[in-house]
Amino acid sequence: MITMKDIVREDNPILYKVAKEVDLPASKKEKETLKEMLTYLKNSQDDAIASKYGLRPGVGLAAPQIGLSKRMIAVHFQDLDGRQYSYGLINPKIVSHSVEKAFLTTGEGCLSVDRDIPGYVPRYSKITVKATDIEGNELKLRLKDYAAIVFQHEIDHLNGVMFFDHINKQDPFAIPENSHPIGQDEE
Ligand code: SB7
Ligand code: NI
């Protein structure tokens, strides 16, 4: 079972490397790891299990965050309209994106970062992602707003990019160009 002791922190160079493509079909071990990553997310969102094992709640997890430099991510969350997203994905790729951006009014956090880093993180408001799921099916997902933000946070981890890399250093709460807020005060 994956717990916080398995999660590498921001001082680990693996988080700043470009992760390797997974050869398809994925191995049994790679698929098991991806299932474990998804289980971490589900467990972390169950109050009883999370408090028993000291899990920080997470909506996504990328393989480099457990010390594995391979292009695999897991996501498990509901968007603001209540739509459930639960996927383990191999070699996810953003194949197109909007010009328009979006940002969470609360900023972002990361399981690999043990401190609050305030500021808006500009993301594309719409993306199309192609990936292979755990069963080996090719998927094409059209995502917007909150869902698009979560997927971009995870895919960034595969490219050695952290959420704080996107925050405006001069003015962390400057409204990004061409963007709309997501969260309490949206629309
Ligand atoms: C806020 C949090 C996340 C994504 C987008 C906005 C995920 C946090 C958990 N992770 O560290 C996953 O990489
Ligand atoms: Ni993260």
Side-chain angles (χ1 to χ4, degrees):
M1 172 184 179
I2 296 173
T3 64
M4 289 308 293
K5 70 171 176 5
D6 302 302
I7 309 264
V8 306
R9 304 308 155 95
E10 60 177 307
D11 61 349
N12 193 311
I14 200 164
L15 291 174
Y16 305 94
K17 287 190 13 175
V18 176
K20 274 196 68 179
E21 291 265 324
V22 174
D23 289 328
L24 297 174
S27 68
K28 201 168 173 182
K29 182 142 184 242
E30 286 162 338
K31 290 193 275 190
E32 282 307 315
T33 300
L34 200 43
K35 284 184 203 165
E36 282 282 310
M37 288 165 58
L38 197 49
T39 299
Y40 173 89
L41 299 176
K42 293 175 185 171
N43 286 342
S44 81
Q45 292 173 34
D46 179 309
D47 290 339
I49 302 175
S51 79
K52 179 168 178 192
Y53 295 103
L55 309 179
R56 247 183 85 188
V59 294
L61 186 64
Q65 293 184 275
I66 55 165
L68 185 64
S69 194
K70 291 191 182 185
R71 302 188 80 81
M72 305 198 299
I73 63 170
V75 295
H76 186 77
F77 61 93
Q78 285 193 359
D79 68 13
L80 302 180
D81 300 329
R83 222 204 111 170
Q84 180 73 41
Y85 293 79
S86 191
Y87 294 103
L89 298 176
I90 297 164
N91 300 334
K93 187 176 161 57
I94 296 172
V95 294
S96 67
H97 63 77
S98 58
V99 173
E100 177 74 9
K101 296 195 170 184
F103 60 92
L104 293 179
T105 55
T106 50
E108 295 186 16
C110 182
L111 293 171
S112 298
V113 178
D114 292 324
R115 58 197 173 110
D116 271 332
I117 303 182
Y120 295 146
V121 179
R123 305 282 191 188
Y124 301 122
S125 76
K126 292 182 179 170
I127 59 173
T128 301
V129 172
K130 277 192 184 171
T132 300
D133 71 9
I134 301 180
E135 284 82 48
N137 307 303
E138 268 198 58
L139 302 185
K140 188 174 185 177
L141 303 169
R142 288 174 191 81
L143 305 161
K144 66 171 187 184
D145 293 335
Y146 182 70
I149 289 172
V150 173
F151 276 72
Q152 285 170 87
H153 178 116
E154 302 317 326
I155 293 170
D156 265 357
H157 278 305
L158 307 183
N159 294 324
V161 175
M162 299 289 281
F163 74 94
F164 49 73
D165 295 328
H166 297 290
I167 298 174
N168 182 327
K169 271 177 202 67
Q170 266 60 257
D171 184 1
F173 291 104
I175 305 293
E177 290 276 282
N178 250 298
S179 72
H180 63 270
I182 307 283
Q184 279 162 343
D185 307 312
E186 69 180 302
E187 281 140 335

